[in-house]
Amino acid sequence: MPRLEYGLKTGELTEEAMVKILEKALTRAAKATSDLHVAKNRKKLKKYTGPFGRSTPDAEEPDYDHIYNFSSGRMGGCDLFLQLYPNMERNGRVKFPQEGITWGMYIDFSYARELTQGILNDMGCSGRRSTA
C-alpha cells in the first residue's frame, strides 16, 4: 500500500473537535482489524512540539507549534502511522495551496491492509496526494 498525504478542509471545526473525530475513526479501524495486538493496544494521537524532522535530507525542517502523531502495530513493525499537521507553518509556508485546507495528514498504512475507504472517509480525507 502507498504512503499518502491528504489536505483536510475542516471549516469551522476546532482543533479539539477534529482530533476527537480522528480518535473515533482510529478506534473504529482498530476494531475492524483481525490483528488482536492492534485492537487491544490502541494508542491515542500524541501531540508533539518538535523537533519534527525533515522529509528529505536537503529539505528545511518544518516550523510548527505542534503536530499530532499516531503509530500502532506490533513490535518490529508498524501497522499504521499517521501524522496530522497544520497546513500553514509559523513561517508562512503552505503544504496544500487549495483554498479551505487547514490541516494536512500523512498516512503510511503499508501494513494496515484492512483499512477500508469508509474508514478513511470517516477521517475526513480530501485532496488526496500520493507520495509513493
Side-chain angles (χ1 to χ4, degrees), residues 9-23:
K9 293 183 178 184
T10 59
E12 299 294 317
L13 194 63
T14 65
E15 180 178 329
E16 182 179 275
M18 179 185 58
V19 168
K20 190 174 184 177
I21 289 168
L22 286 171
E23 286 289 349

Side-chain angles (χ1 to χ4, degrees), residues 96-117:
F96 295 93
Q98 297 87 350
E99 187 175 331
I101 295 179
T102 54
W103 287 84
M105 183 168 59
Y106 170 80
I107 302 175
D108 178 356
F109 53 103
S110 302
Y111 299 94
R113 291 165 176 75
E114 297 175 47
L115 287 182
T116 64
Q117 188 60 46

Side-chain angles (χ1 to χ4, degrees), residues 22-23 33-34 45 71 75 89 103 115 120 129:
L22 286 171
E23 286 289 349
T33 184
S34 61
L45 281 166
S71 181
M75 292 194 305
E89 298 178 31
W103 287 84
L115 287 182
L120 292 174
R129 185 173 89 180

Side-chain angles (χ1 to χ4, degrees), residues 31-78:
K31 289 179 181 177
T33 184
S34 61
D35 184 340
L36 296 177
H37 183 81
V38 173
K40 289 180 181 178
N41 296 312
R42 200 277 315 119
K43 298 177 178 104
K44 299 278 186 185
L45 281 166
K46 290 186 180 181
K47 190 174 187 176
Y48 286 100
T49 56
F52 304 113
R54 303 167 193 266
S55 56
T56 62
D58 58 341
E60 291 183 47
E61 185 171 340
D63 185 19
Y64 300 115
D65 286 325
H66 62 276
I67 62 172
Y68 293 91
N69 281 339
F70 172 82
S71 181
S72 73
R74 52 187 89 82
M75 292 194 305
C78 179

